[in-house]
Amino acid sequence: MNETWILLGATSSMARAMARQLAGEGANLVLAGRDMADLEAQATDLALRGAASAKAARFDARDAATFAPIIDAAETLAGEGPINCAVFVGSMPPQDAIDADPSLIDGTVTDSFTGPARFLQMLAPKLEAKGKGLVIGVGSVAGDRGRIGNYVYGAAKSGFATYLSGLRNRLGRSGVHVMTVKPGFVDTAMTWDVEGMFLVASPAQVAAHMLKKGRKGRNVLYTPFFWRYIMAIIRSVPEPIFKKLSV
Amino acid sequence: MSWKKHSWAGWGRVQSATGELARPERSAALAPLATEAPAIGNCRSYGDAALVSEGRAITMTRLDKILFFDEADGVIHVEAGATIADLARILAPKGFLPAVMPGTGFATVGGCIAMDVHGKNHHGAGSFGQHVTEITLASGKVLTPSHPLFKATVGGIGQTGPIASAKLKLLRAKVDVMMVTERRAENLENFLDLLDESEATYTVGWIDATATGEALGRGILEEGETGAGLVPPAKRGRKVPFNAPSWALAAPVVRLFNKLYYGRVPAAGRTLVKPIDDFFFPLDRIHDWNKLYGKKGFHQFQCVVPVTARGTLRSMLEAIATSGLASPLAVLKRMGPGRAGHLSFPMEGYTLAVDFRNRTGTRGLISELIAEAKAAGGRIYFAKDSVARAEDIPGMYPELAEWAEAVNAGDPEHHYETDLTKRLSLRSAK
């Protein structure tokens, strides 16, 4: 049976790469995001690349009214088949913009944590009822430790990671797997003009890695793999020293 | 949109640029950049056509969606960053192919328009631009072939501004494989006769640019027809991991390689079944093959000369063979008259393309070849050139002034200039 996938934040580079791979496998795709014109164009493109069906749907992390129609659309497409969901949403305003306007914290936390968490909370009972499915939640290595350059974004992603850990604990009991992904540097719009990037991975490479490991039941995935070791080192730096670093 | 400081090189890796790049991920992010800078694709132009030193360029590779496919009319609407290989891969199982495919599948649709590229079927199908039914510029302007800017955009090396998307009329063909006949051509005269007589849809000639004397201009003519049937297993792509040492393409190595390559095809010829990609994009299987020329890079010379200029080809090949600078990559093809833009390369005649290691004497040799092509009433190809001077061009491209007037009117502040247009002063033509 064809898989049905909800991609939240489907216009992001990583989501688009994953959508292309899933299209090649003949999946049903629900592409959720804000730029409807782009999502409609993507749906046409993915159908030609082999998707059984591809549908654009509006998702705004800050507007909970957009959530239910997405879940309905996925249920219709899936029929008796499984529903999977991958979450790519998040926003990262520059830390100095947040310093100037602390109210930006609300939006950052909604986009990166509470919005998608609320969506998944609505989806969870449907997945439990099906007794199968895969949820891939994209966090960030920035969530592993608060750093001077982006600690609000990091805090939001950290919250999301903790949420996913709890969701995994819950859904695992009914045969639904939840994987937390922590990408390092990926060649996306977010990192395009950031100085000091190294070992940057392509979105296609990262998306393929996620699907492969998620299907094998990995709980937490650092991608590319060596970020696991980089972050192990960063996490092990004692706080009295870490607070003086600018990594 | 954010700009990033970046250094990048042409495919030949002799010329490079340091400038600023933007890379829109969605068409909504492209529109605001429309008047700021020229677009670049996968940078498969050998020289400086995709380079902007001390300036800005827009990388189009992430805008690669198929926007619409009209199966009944055989028309596809695609974003400019889509590659030809991608289109071929998606379309072939549906019974279609891009009507014209250049020698690398990594070329983007935008790049194919900007260079008005040709393929192995140019003698029959004409140039890429002749199958473009509509171009949408990033500025929002929609150009059909009757629009005055259409001929300035097709073959217009990006000077009318970034192309957002285009509609292409496709070739309707059930293609699983290519049936390829390979025949030896013993010398130049024999080769040109075979090219003239060939009735195949797709033809390309590999030429041994190191052969001299009686064997001058010998090579192998490949004739291809699309076919249906069992697809031979595709070979896995390989990557060139590092720059090759300088002796890898030294003259004796190339002579030996060419001799073996020529001898591989039996004297009586042979017919093979090849995967589509292997026939159309033979080098794409080796990623980053340009590294085989080592750190110094290489130049490609490509010209087209009228059918009456057989003597010019002979004298060019003599100069090339005695120089010891040629690589195994040398191609001879018959071209038809088809072209779609003011600065389109094709003309009825023979086109010769040869790669040269970048060594002492290479530029001088290419300059001589350029002069010979010009004297014979031919022209050189902007997608390949890295050596020509401004004064070489007007005689080769009779519509240059008309083109310059059209693009200057649309871009009076010269935001779309590239290293190529500046080096050859193309937009100053009167």
Side-chain angles (χ1 to χ4, degrees):
Chain A
M1 182 152 334
N2 290 339
E3 291 181 347
T4 297
W5 280 83
I6 300 171
L7 302 177
L8 287 193
T11 57
S12 81
S13 330
M14 269 187 270
R16 279 184 292 145
M18 186 179 279
R20 284 211 175 160
Q21 186 179 334
L22 292 169
E25 296 173 8
N28 296 305
L29 298 169
V30 180
L31 309 164
R34 278 179 302 175
D35 185 342
M36 287 307 287
D38 190 68
L39 291 170
E40 299 282 3
Q42 248 195 88
T44 307
D45 177 70
L46 292 165
L48 286 164
R49 288 171 194 264
S53 67
K55 193 174 170 342
R58 207 176 97 76
F59 172 82
D60 184 343
R62 306 185 191 190
D63 179 5
T66 61
F67 298 176
I70 297 168
I71 295 172
D72 291 346
E75 285 196 296
T76 310
L77 289 178
E80 296 300 305
I83 296 179
N84 305 322
C85 179
V87 179
F88 295 93
V89 294
S91 63
M92 184 173 70
Q95 190 66 43
D96 52 3
I98 295 177
D99 295 343
D101 177 7
S103 73
L104 289 177
I105 289 179
D106 295 355
T108 307
V109 172
T110 309
D111 293 341
S112 311
F113 172 22
T114 56
R118 209 167 145 179
F119 178 88
L120 291 175
Q121 203 68 15
M122 288 168 67
L123 182 65
K126 318 276 184 191
L127 302 186
E128 281 174 325
K130 286 190 179 283
K132 56 191 167 185
L134 172 62
V135 174
I136 296 178
V138 176
S140 169
V141 293
D144 279 13
R145 200 134 194 198
R147 293 180 300 115
I148 188 164
N150 62 359
Y151 58 90
V152 169
Y153 171 73
K157 284 294 192 185
S158 175
F160 189 51
T162 306
Y163 170 82
L164 289 170
S165 160
L167 190 68
R168 174 160 49 244
N169 199 314
R170 167 181 166 183
L171 294 182
R173 293 156 206 252
S174 29
V176 179
H177 181 61
V178 178
M179 179 173 74
T180 310
V181 182
K182 297 183 182 182
F185 296 149
V186 185
D187 189 10
T188 65
M190 207 187 248
T191 58
W192 174 246
D193 61 343
V194 179
E195 298 268 334
M197 291 282 134
F198 55 92
L199 298 169
V200 177
S202 76
Q205 206 179 328
V206 164
H209 193 207
M210 285 185 207
L211 280 174
K212 188 172 169 202
K213 296 300 177 182
R215 284 167 173 163
K216 283 192 175 163
R218 180 73 69 90
N219 295 315
V220 178
L221 178 72
Y222 285 89
T223 180
F225 72 94
F226 49 78
W227 280 91
R228 188 169 159 197
Y229 306 106
I230 295 176
M231 293 318 293
I233 294 167
I234 289 182
R235 275 197 314 271
S236 68
V237 177
E239 194 67 14
I241 297 172
F242 193 80
K243 72 178 182 186
K244 299 200 178 95
L245 300 179
S246 320
V247 288
Chain B
M1 189 69 206
S2 43
W3 297 90
K4 157 162 129 173
K5 191 154 192 246
H6 193 69
S7 295
W8 72 104
W11 187 244
R13 300 170 82 219
V14 173
Q15 288 157 305
S16 61
T18 300
E20 285 190 313
L21 293 182
R23 187 185 60 193
E25 301 266 342
R26 289 178 287 143
S27 56
L30 172 65
L33 304 174
T35 57
E36 286 206 39
I40 61 175
N42 274 324
C43 296
R44 252 42 188 199
S45 287
Y46 288 64
D48 49 4
L51 301 181
V52 188
S53 298
E54 313 288 318
R56 288 177 158 185
I58 303 167
T59 295
M60 297 293 291
T61 47
R62 290 276 165 105
L63 300 171
D64 64 347
K65 289 193 283 286
I66 300 169
L67 300 172
F68 186 69
F69 176 46
D70 182 341
E71 201 155 350
D73 284 350
V75 172
I76 197 162
H77 187 194
V78 286
E79 289 185 326
T83 65
I84 295 300
D86 213 14
L87 293 183
R89 197 172 44 74
I90 293 164
L91 290 167
K94 301 181 195 297
F96 293 89
L97 272 188
V100 170
M101 296 200 278
T104 170
F106 289 108
T108 61
V109 167
C112 287
I113 293 171
M115 288 297 172
D116 195 14
V117 299
H118 55 272
K120 300 181 191 2
N121 57 352
H122 184 267
H123 53 285
S127 70
F128 192 88
Q130 291 179 281
H131 304 272
V132 175
T133 61
E134 189 182 288
I135 297 169
T136 304
L137 297 178
S139 63
K141 261 193 211 114
V142 178
L143 314 177
T144 52
S146 59
H147 193 286
L149 270 182
F150 188 88
K151 287 183 89 171
T153 301
V154 175
I157 45 185
Q159 299 304 298
T160 56
I163 295 167
S165 65
K167 289 185 183 166
L168 313 176
K169 183 92 178 125
L170 300 168
L171 171 75
R172 206 180 284 269
K174 182 82 193 97
V175 195
D176 303 315
V177 290
M178 294 299 295
M179 315 295 290
V180 184
T181 302
E182 296 178 335
R183 279 189 286 166
R184 284 187 189 179
E186 285 161 13
N187 55 44
L188 184 64
E189 286 303 312
N190 179 218
F191 210 147
L192 296 174
D193 289 342
L194 287 176
L195 282 168
D196 285 349
E197 290 156 14
S198 173
E199 288 177 356
T201 311
Y202 296 93
T203 58
V204 61
W206 170 80
I207 190 164
D208 179 354
T210 61
T212 52
E214 291 284 289
L216 184 82
R218 74 172 174 187
I220 295 163
L221 178 70
E222 286 188 31
E223 299 176 294
E225 297 296 341
T226 54
L230 284 177
V231 184
K235 294 185 190 118
R236 240 182 116 226
R238 287 162 190 267
K239 208 175 167 76
V240 179
F242 46 76
N243 289 313
S246 57
W247 49 262
L249 288 169
V253 179
V254 175
R255 267 200 304 275
L256 179 65
F257 177 91
N258 281 4
K259 198 172 169 212
L260 295 171
Y261 193 83
Y262 179 76
R264 181 183 60 97
V265 173
R270 64 176 178 183
T271 297
L272 307 164
V273 177
K274 289 191 182 184
I276 301 172
D277 284 9
D278 280 13
F279 178 71
F280 286 106
F281 320 126
L283 286 168
D284 285 359
R285 247 192 304 137
I286 309 163
H287 285 268
D288 302 334
W289 61 262
N290 53 352
K291 288 189 188 160
L292 289 171
Y293 289 91
K295 263 188 283 191
K296 287 186 188 161
F298 67 107
H299 295 275
Q300 182 174 105
F301 165 77
Q302 182 167 8
C303 70
V304 55
V305 295
V307 277
T308 50
R310 285 186 172 209
T312 301
L313 289 173
R314 169 168 292 277
S315 116
M316 283 178 172
L317 283 167
E318 276 164 3
I320 293 166
T322 50
S323 75
L325 291 165
S327 84
L329 291 175
V331 170
L332 183 65
K333 264 191 308 218
R334 186 78 161 75
M335 253 185 173
R339 59 206 304 272
H342 292 309
L343 297 192
S344 296
F345 169 68
M347 67 161 70
E348 171 106 51
Y350 303 108
T351 176
L352 174 69
V354 186
D355 285 8
F356 297 103
R357 294 176 294 143
N358 180 25
R359 292 290 179 277
T360 316
T362 305
R363 295 180 67 92
L365 171 65
I366 295 176
S367 297
E368 274 174 45
L369 298 174
I370 291 171
E372 284 201 63
K374 185 174 178 174
R379 60 172 72 108
I380 56 159
Y381 194 4
F382 293 130
K384 310 292 180 73
D385 179 62
S386 49
V387 172
R389 299 156 308 158
E391 57 267 37
D392 297 330
I393 307 304
M396 297 182 177
Y397 285 91
E399 292 168 47
L400 183 62
E402 199 180 333
W403 171 83
E405 196 184 336
V407 300
N408 288 336
D411 177 33
E413 289 170 34
H414 292 245
H415 285 165
Y416 301 141
E417 293 252 16
T418 61
D419 289 1
L420 171 83
T421 62
K422 287 183 197 156
R423 172 169 61 90
L424 298 177
S425 304
L426 296 177
R427 290 179 56 173
S428 314
K430 296 240 171 359

